């Protein structure tokens, strides 16, 4: 496992992070989920990412159990807030930030998180109020650093213009071979402000593993076939043009000594501004395969071959 510095912080994180969105919020049986967490730690994965909304506290509770008795300084723990926890609890107001951090810490069975992230931008709360409240959380020692997820570029810039508040060190965008959009605005802006990316869905919700075949229905037990772990954001990813392109990556991956999933993760990690790529895993074996992508550098020739396959498919889908 290789490690990268997280933005302007003093945190070092593993290139592969373990997420808990659809998997550990109810999609995976508890014993198996905990086994995945422990396998990740054994493999050198140090960044564990979650959010209060995942299972409305279920993922944080599971991680609190899984990480209990693990040396706290041996891993980097990140959580988020924004989405509704109840009919009245949502957003990034000062009251919500203080309420939700306390609730998250209780579920996670810890005194602090290393990274507290705004899951989305809150247009209903003045940005100054949000930033000041986050600063108060940092000063109280409940979070070491702060980050954001899927914020518009202008709001990121506006946050950095506010004086005397804690500075963001991380951005969490969706980013993959099938979703390169952050390259246009978010990544260049984050480079300017020394903010690193912790990317989610680098395997495009499993499509970039190659397990979905063109012309065939998703296999039983896969995320696309599971009511509890479904929720595809981009239906076009399951179109034959995309699925065939992913199959066409297999010879390139094999030549490089990687699986298709490892190739896709290495592609994301080719970007220096990406500190870590978040994987989701239902079995310890998946954690092991994905972790093995760390440290692989793709040549210019391989990157060009990948682009020649994926770009036309994205245009056609």
């Amino acid at each position: 496992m290789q490690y990268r510095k997280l933005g302007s912080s003093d945190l070092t994180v593993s290139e592969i992070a373990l997420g808990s969105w659809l998997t550990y919020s109810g999609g995976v049986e508890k014993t198996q989920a905990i086994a995945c967490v422990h396998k990740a730690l054994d493999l050198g994965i140090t960044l564990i990412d979650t959010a209060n909304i995942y299972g409305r506290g279920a993922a944080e509770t599971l991680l609190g159990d899984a990480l209990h008795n693990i040396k706290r300084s041996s891993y980097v723990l990140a959580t988020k807030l924004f989405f509704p926890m109840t009919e009245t609890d949502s957003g990034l107001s000062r009251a919500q930030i203080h309420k939700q951090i306390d609730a998250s810490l209780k579920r996670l069975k810890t005194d602090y998180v290393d990274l507290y992230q705004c899951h989305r931008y809150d247009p209903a709360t003045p940005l100054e109020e949000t930033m000041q409240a986050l600063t108060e959380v940092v000063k109280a020692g409940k979070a070491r650093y702060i980050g954001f997820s899927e914020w518009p570029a202008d709001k990121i810039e506006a946050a950095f213009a506010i004086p005397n508040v804690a500075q963001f060190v991380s951005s969490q965008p969706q980013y993959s071979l099938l979703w390169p959009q952050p390259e246009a605005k978010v990544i260049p802006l984050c480079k300017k402000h020394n903010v690193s990316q912790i990317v989610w869905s680098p395997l495009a919700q499993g499509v970039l593993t190659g397990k979905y075949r063109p012309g065939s229905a998703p296999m039983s037990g896969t995320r696309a076939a599971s009511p509890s772990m479904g929720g595809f954001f981009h239906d076009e990813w399951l179109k034959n043009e995309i699925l065939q392109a992913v199959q066409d990556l297999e010879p390139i991956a094999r030549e490089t000594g990687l699986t298709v999933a490892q190739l896709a993760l290495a592609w994301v990690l080719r970007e220096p501004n990406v500190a870590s790529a978040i994987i989701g895993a239902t079995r310890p074996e998946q954690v092991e395969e994905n972790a093995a992508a760390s440290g692989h550098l793709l040549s210019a020739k391989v990157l060009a071959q990948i682009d020649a396959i994926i770009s036309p498919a994205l245009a056609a889908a």
Side-chain angles (χ1 to χ4, degrees):
M1 181 60 58
Q2 301 295 307
Y3 303 86
R4 299 185 181 186
K5 189 172 181 292
L6 185 65
S8 59
S9 78
D10 65 357
L11 297 174
T12 299
V13 297
S14 50
E15 288 187 339
I16 303 296
L18 184 66
S20 57
W21 169 33
L22 297 171
T23 45
Y24 309 149
S25 57
V28 177
E29 189 269 329
K30 181 177 180 179
T31 303
Q32 190 168 324
I34 290 176
C36 289
V37 175
H38 291 169
K39 171 59 76 171
L41 295 172
D42 290 343
L43 293 168
I45 290 175
T46 57
L47 178 55
I48 310 293
D49 182 80
T50 190
N52 61 355
I53 192 59
Y54 298 163
R56 283 194 164 81
E60 288 182 329
T61 298
L62 182 135
L63 288 173
D65 292 341
L67 297 169
H68 191 54
N69 294 326
I70 303 291
K71 186 180 179 183
R72 181 63 184 84
S73 60
S74 67
Y75 59 90
V76 175
L77 185 57
T79 194
K80 315 179 199 72
L81 86 156
F82 169 76
F83 290 107
M85 293 296 284
T86 68
E87 288 185 2
T88 56
D89 288 327
S90 65
L92 301 176
S93 68
R94 172 178 277 105
Q96 282 299 307
I97 287 172
H98 285 290
K99 181 176 183 176
Q100 297 305 327
I101 186 65
D102 287 343
S104 288
L105 293 178
K106 184 175 181 181
R107 288 188 291 264
L108 290 164
K109 298 180 179 177
T110 185
D111 295 328
Y112 69 95
V113 291
D114 298 283
L115 186 61
Y116 200 39
Q117 303 160 102
C118 300
H119 213 155
R120 294 294 185 272
Y121 181 76
D122 181 6
T125 301
L127 181 56
E128 291 80 3
E129 178 181 337
T130 294
M131 298 306 296
Q132 288 166 2
L134 291 170
T135 302
E136 291 162 6
V137 166
V138 172
K139 287 181 176 178
K142 296 177 181 180
R144 294 180 64 192
Y145 296 99
I146 58 172
F148 58 84
S149 177
E150 300 290 355
W151 275 30
D154 63 323
K155 303 305 181 185
I156 299 170
E157 194 72 83
F160 275 96
I162 298 173
N164 304 316
V165 294
Q167 298 290 294
F168 288 125
V169 302
S170 69
S171 162
Q172 190 172 127
Q174 180 182 186
Y175 183 51
S176 71
L177 265 170
L178 302 184
W179 193 258
Q181 279 80 340
E183 294 176 354
K185 292 183 179 180
V186 171
I187 289 179
L189 179 58
C190 286
K191 287 180 179 178
K192 171 185 169 183
H193 290 292
N194 200 7
V195 170
S196 292
Q197 311 301 315
I198 300 171
V199 305
W200 62 274
S201 205
L203 296 179
Q205 293 185 276
V207 173
L208 288 168
T209 66
K211 64 186 173 185
Y212 300 112
R213 303 283 177 170
S216 302
M219 294 181 295
S220 176
T222 60
R223 184 168 294 180
S226 170
S228 63
M229 290 194 296
F232 267 81
F233 286 111
H234 310 287
D235 289 338
E236 65 268 23
W237 289 351
L238 295 176
K239 290 184 176 179
N240 284 340
E241 295 92 339
I242 295 293
L243 298 182
Q244 184 57 58
V246 175
Q247 295 302 311
D248 292 342
L249 292 176
E250 200 278 332
I252 299 172
R254 189 171 59 246
E255 249 181 63
T256 314
L258 303 172
T259 65
V260 173
Q262 290 166 346
L263 184 75
L265 288 167
W267 183 89
V268 165
L269 291 168
R270 90 204 185 290
E271 167 55 62
N273 188 238
V274 172
S276 191
I278 302 171
I279 62 161
T282 59
R283 295 176 288 107
E285 295 80 12
Q286 290 176 326
V287 182
E288 192 160 13
E289 178 188 346
N290 291 335
S294 175
H296 285 278
L297 301 178
L298 302 180
S299 68
K301 176 185 175 182
V302 167
L303 291 173
Q305 290 174 326
I306 292 171
D307 183 64
I309 291 171
I310 294 297
S311 291
L314 287 175

